[in-house]
Amino acid sequence: MEALEKRREHVIALFRIVVGLLFACHGAATLFDVLGGPHGAAPGFAAWPGWWAAVVQLVGGTLVLCGLATRAAAILCSGSMAYAYFVEHQPDGLFPIENGGESAAMFCWSFLLVAALGPGRWSLASRLRRGEGGRPVGETVPTDTPTSA
């Protein structure tokens, strides 16, 4: 268990990357008819809710994948999947296995987990926050001169 705990931030980052990539692929498939195309009929430009959901999937998934504004993007993605589940799937049955909402439910809870845990390692935001010399902004540079007491 100690070995897993040492790699916790790496596992969180890998989880974030995979979930963001898969979500972004759904948006790209719907908007650009790639990767097998949309599941069902392609929504028209700016059609509610399909086209907007695909934009959230593409943009939000990409932000989560890259680790930029991760928590905010993950909350938006989680909310969009909660909407999809309760509005589109839940009327067809109580449980996700009955109503075809497994992926909406899984994405909803996965993004909620990403929002709670943060981006983990390898986020673009942490790279952008770093100052010169690879140090985080605001970190002091050590000097060899003694300080007076």
Side-chain angles (χ1 to χ4, degrees):
M1 286 304 213
E2 189 175 317
L4 288 175
E5 188 59 35
K6 287 181 183 177
R7 288 162 180 75
R8 181 177 190 268
E9 291 294 314
H10 294 38
V11 172
I12 291 169
L14 287 172
F15 181 77
R16 169 186 53 83
I17 290 166
V18 168
V19 169
L21 175 65
L22 292 174
F23 204 59
C25 286
H26 275 280
T30 301
L31 291 174
F32 306 118
D33 196 20
V34 296
L35 305 170
H39 297 161
F45 178 76
W48 179 261
W51 188 85
W52 292 101
V55 169
V56 168
Q57 290 168 353
L58 180 61
V59 174
T62 301
L63 288 173
V64 169
L65 166 67
C66 295
L68 279 173
T70 306
R71 291 180 194 259
I75 289 289
L76 177 65
C77 293
S78 178
S80 75
M81 288 294 96
Y83 175 89
Y85 182 78
F86 287 110
V87 172
E88 298 297 324
H89 296 285
Q90 206 273 329
D92 296 333
L94 180 61
F95 296 108
I97 196 73
E98 294 176 303
N99 62 33
E102 297 98 332
S103 62
M106 288 296 292
F107 274 124
C108 178
W109 287 104
S110 297
F111 281 117
L112 194 60
L113 185 63
V114 169
L117 296 177
R121 298 226 173 188
W122 311 316
S123 71
L124 194 53
S126 69
R127 296 286 178 196
L128 294 175
R129 282 193 302 264
R130 293 194 177 269
E132 232 175 88
R135 290 183 189 81
V137 174
E139 183 179 305
T140 59
V141 178
T143 61
D144 291 333
T145 58
T147 57
S148 57

